[in-house]
Amino acid sequence: EAISVKSIQKWLEEIVEETKRMFQQNRSVLVICNTIQDIQIIQKAFNDENHKEFRSENVVVYQRDYEEFNLDKLPPRKLIIASNLAGRGTDIKLTPELERNGGLHVILTYLASNVRVENQAYGRASRAGAKGSARLIIFNLRNESMIDLKNERNECERARLDTASTYYNNIIIIEESLFKNFMNAYKAYADKMAVGILGNLKTKLRNKFYELNSFERLTIIQTNEMRKALLNNLKILWTFWLDENAETLNDLKNAKE
């Protein structure tokens, strides 16, 4: 059952007490936090002298999202405090003893932005069929029930996905079509420019470069550099055109809607 409290102190107490209960069962705990600040606050709560069972050798902290869990096999009575992204994709392997005691217990300390993220957090408790359990413990000043909070969260996520889908179906598809037309014109222009500028050197270009005289070599080099500059300028003009016509693109989007 999820726990929702209205003060930070009570939130920290619930997290610590939940972890103590798991340690009494000789289980290990993964506390998942939303921010680095939350990690630091929760770590400080466990460092209180009244909680001597959480000695430094029993506590591992991962503050950065890119950090991977450096654990061989997780033994009983180990506390891991980490961000949601830290160690993602890592299978936390348990010792046989921890497996017999019930496995890893996950405490999610915030309401995740969507169901997928929430389920991923809970899924860390039982990777690869291992035993495990999880609980949600959040700090919430509002009076809504957990069901109401999750329903509101899910509605916000649904609206966000609908907005993203609408944007893709309108603006992105229009821009992709325009870009495809631009690239076709760009390639045709580049090919035509190569033939036109090189002109009389076309036959000699079939020869090896070192067989050409110095003037012909210089002409080829300068021609290629000029061609690159002109084509790059064409790309820049394309970017300016998109910016200048952003309002028109938006009107097209609204008309499509």
Side-chain angles (χ1 to χ4, degrees), residues 183-213:
M183 288 307 299
N184 288 336
Y186 177 88
K187 186 177 184 304
Y189 181 69
D191 292 343
K192 184 177 180 181
M193 183 186 297
V195 174
I197 292 179
L198 294 174
N200 295 329
L201 290 176
K202 184 177 179 180
T203 301
K204 291 190 175 184
L205 279 173
R206 296 194 185 99
N207 301 328
K208 295 179 180 179
F209 188 77
Y210 63 80
E211 293 179 351
L212 303 177
N213 62 46

Side-chain angles (χ1 to χ4, degrees), residues 3 5-21 41-42 44-46 48 50-51 54 107 109 135 137-139:
I3 297 174
V5 297
K6 294 185 178 180
S7 74
I8 292 180
Q9 185 59 39
K10 183 64 175 174
W11 176 60
L12 294 172
E13 289 174 0
E14 290 286 353
I15 294 170
V16 171
E17 289 304 314
E18 179 82 0
T19 304
K20 279 186 175 181
R21 285 193 290 272
I41 292 172
I42 291 172
K44 186 176 180 182
F46 280 108
D48 190 289
N50 295 322
H51 310 310
F54 305 118
I107 300 176
T109 63
R135 188 189 295 275
I137 302 177
I138 66 169
F139 164 56

Side-chain angles (χ1 to χ4, degrees), residues 38-55:
D38 286 350
I39 292 174
Q40 294 170 344
I41 292 172
I42 291 172
Q43 182 184 8
K44 186 176 180 182
F46 280 108
N47 287 339
D48 190 289
E49 61 181 12
N50 295 322
H51 310 310
K52 295 182 180 179
E53 59 267 63
F54 305 118
R55 300 186 304 274

Side-chain angles (χ1 to χ4, degrees), residues 5 8 30 37-39 51-52 94 96 104 111 113 121 124 130 136-138 158 165 191 202 214 221 231 238 253:
V5 297
I8 292 180
L30 169 61
Q37 183 180 15
D38 286 350
I39 292 174
H51 310 310
K52 295 182 180 179
L94 314 182
L104 178 66
L111 185 60
S113 59
R124 297 199 190 188
L136 177 64
I137 302 177
I138 66 169
R158 191 174 296 110
S165 176
D191 292 343
K202 184 177 179 180
S214 58
I221 294 172
L231 290 175
W238 162 252
K253 180 204 76 167

Side-chain angles (χ1 to χ4, degrees), residues 26-30 71-78 80 90-106 124-133:
N26 285 323
R27 296 179 62 185
S28 291
V29 177
L30 169 61
L71 300 167
D72 183 14
K73 283 194 174 183
L74 188 65
R77 296 174 65 85
K78 196 81 170 180
I80 305 171
T90 303
D91 283 335
I92 302 176
K93 297 179 180 179
L94 314 182
T95 61
E97 182 182 0
L98 179 55
E99 181 78 21
R100 288 193 299 270
N101 296 340
L104 178 66
H105 183 68
V106 170
R124 297 199 190 188
S126 54
R127 286 279 180 88
K131 291 182 179 179
S133 56

Side-chain angles (χ1 to χ4, degrees), residues 56-71:
S56 59
E57 62 267 25
N58 291 338
V59 181
V60 183
V61 179
Y62 297 93
Q63 292 196 22
R64 305 298 176 184
D65 290 344
Y66 57 79
E67 290 182 297
E68 296 183 359
F69 290 166
N70 186 22
L71 300 167

